[in-house]
Amino acid sequence: MPITIVTQGKDLSPWVKALKKNRPDVEIRIYPDDAQAEEVEFALAWNHPLGVFKAFPNLKCISSMGAGVDHILKDTELPKGVTVTKIVDTNLTQDMGEFILALALNHIRGLAAYKVQEQQQAWQPRPYKRIADVTVGVMGVGELGAHVASQLHKVGFNVCGWARTAKELEGVAVYVGEEELNSFLAASEILVCLLPLTKETANILNKGTLQQLPKGAFVINAARGEHVVDEDLVEMINNGHLAGASLDVFREEPLPQEHVFWKHPDINITPHMASKTDPETAVLQILDNYDRLQRGEPLQNIISLEKGY
């Protein structure tokens, strides 16, 4: 049984190398160079051409090449009965925790502002906050979010979380559902968005929700660009309700040169690099699911097509 990789704009050489290193006997195909589509039961995907999977009549599993699956689920023509899986990688999780911690510390110590002052040769000490005096709200406490919340708590931040269903996290107060969203937001001096992208969470960071944050709050988005209504975020920063934002993800990537985010003094931009899937470790669980599929055993890290995560 071959493995077909279906993607757009991604360097596949590390993936092919890692797959062949660990399983030299498995045939690796790169779409569209897979003439015998009826042989394909297992596919790896990232940002695939929409509708392409209907060409594989015997496809049983689509494995995301990362932790996110929204790029797969937005395809309205997925074959019926296909199973979609994601990557759960300790390196990916650890990298995200370190990234969010760095951004939170950067904010409370005003390091981005000092960089601007450095360029202006302005010697101007600024007030700062201490970790123990700041509450960070983590929006979405799944695999990544729970780790981030735990790491922030360990270094001394006050941490709360928000989830669709009840979660137990040591040292973290978790607010649940729509009825507790505003209370969660009101407690979040730094808001970290790590939600999966679904119909329910798209555009969730809009003027209505951002207004519920405390005055002077700071927003960090490392989930998906579609969670944020761009113009509402800019408005809430410009009117002084929000102190600023650090954004790693955007509705269009790369971020267009003319976008207002680029030159906004209170918005920090990184090019979707909070955490990257390491093919060397990811292919191990991909191949495990490949073997499970061949043996007719339950797959690991299956996502719900209804929930979107």
Side-chain angles (χ1 to χ4, degrees):
M1 182 174 72
I3 294 177
T4 289
I5 306 178
V6 186
T7 185
Q8 298 181 105
K10 192 177 185 71
D11 179 13
L12 297 180
S13 56
W15 289 87
V16 173
K17 180 180 178 181
L19 286 166
K20 289 185 175 180
K21 173 185 175 182
N22 287 277
R23 198 64 61 81
D25 57 312
V26 175
E27 180 185 1
I28 309 300
R29 299 179 183 177
I30 310 296
Y31 179 85
D33 297 327
D34 50 357
Q36 296 172 304
E38 69 279 358
E39 296 180 355
V40 177
E41 298 181 20
F42 191 97
L44 293 182
W46 189 265
N47 192 30
H48 68 276
L50 298 182
V52 70
F53 287 120
K54 63 185 178 182
F56 300 95
N58 298 312
L59 186 64
K60 296 178 181 177
C61 175
I62 303 172
S63 172
S64 174
M65 298 170 77
V69 294
D70 52 282
H71 60 100
I72 296 174
L73 300 186
K74 69 181 180 182
D75 190 337
T76 59
E77 298 183 275
L78 292 180
K80 290 184 178 179
V82 72
T83 298
V84 178
T85 65
K86 65 179 181 179
I87 298 297
V88 177
D89 191 327
T90 55
N91 288 341
L92 197 71
T93 305
Q94 182 66 30
D95 290 350
M96 181 63 78
E98 293 175 1
F99 182 75
I100 298 301
L101 175 59
L103 293 183
L105 292 173
N106 178 73
H107 168 62
I108 67 173
R109 296 307 301 257
L111 302 185
Y114 283 127
K115 186 62 181 177
V116 174
Q117 289 180 199
E118 175 189 328
Q119 295 167 348
Q120 298 171 344
Q121 295 180 308
W123 185 275
Q124 184 181 347
R126 303 169 64 91
Y128 59 86
K129 295 181 179 179
R130 295 182 175 87
I131 287 175
D133 298 329
V134 177
T135 298
V136 182
V138 180
M139 206 172 196
V141 284
E143 189 79 24
L144 289 175
H147 175 78
V148 168
S150 176
Q151 292 300 104
L152 292 169
H153 169 66
K154 286 179 180 178
V155 300
F157 282 103
N158 302 300
V159 184
C160 58
W162 182 71
R164 194 178 69 90
T165 56
K167 299 283 181 70
E168 292 288 335
L169 295 177
E170 184 177 353
V172 179
V174 179
Y175 295 81
V176 181
E178 289 295 326
E179 61 275 15
E180 295 186 355
L181 176 58
N182 285 347
S183 296
F184 162 76
L185 293 170
S188 302
E189 296 169 280
I190 299 177
L191 178 69
V192 178
C193 181
L194 289 172
L195 290 166
L197 181 62
T198 67
K199 292 179 181 179
E200 292 73 29
T201 66
N203 303 312
I204 194 169
L205 296 181
N206 55 55
K207 186 174 181 179
T209 52
L210 295 174
Q211 286 177 328
Q212 302 302 316
L213 294 169
K215 184 175 175 59
F218 189 79
V219 174
I220 297 173
N221 186 22
R224 288 292 183 266
E226 291 86 348
H227 286 122
V228 175
V229 179
D230 294 358
E231 55 270 26
D232 289 0
L233 177 64
V234 171
E235 178 184 347
M236 296 302 290
I237 295 174
N238 288 346
N239 68 21
H241 186 74
L242 297 179
S246 281
L247 307 175
D248 187 57
V249 289
F250 307 91
R251 289 177 177 269
E252 182 180 349
E253 297 181 1
L255 185 65
Q257 290 295 309
E258 66 275 11
H259 200 288
V260 65
F261 286 166
W262 279 115
K263 294 185 178 180
H264 199 291
D266 299 316
I267 295 178
N268 308 319
I269 292 172
T270 49
H272 201 153
M273 46 65 65
S275 61
K276 294 292 185 181
T277 304
D278 182 358
E280 288 287 337
T281 55
V283 298
L284 299 178
Q285 59 187 277
I286 290 169
L287 289 170
D288 178 54
N289 269 342
Y290 172 85
D291 292 337
R292 287 170 177 269
L293 184 66
Q294 287 191 301
R295 295 192 299 259
E297 297 175 0
L299 304 186
Q300 300 290 331
N301 302 322
I302 294 175
I303 64 95
S304 167
L305 299 182
E306 291 72 31
K307 294 179 180 179
Y309 57 90

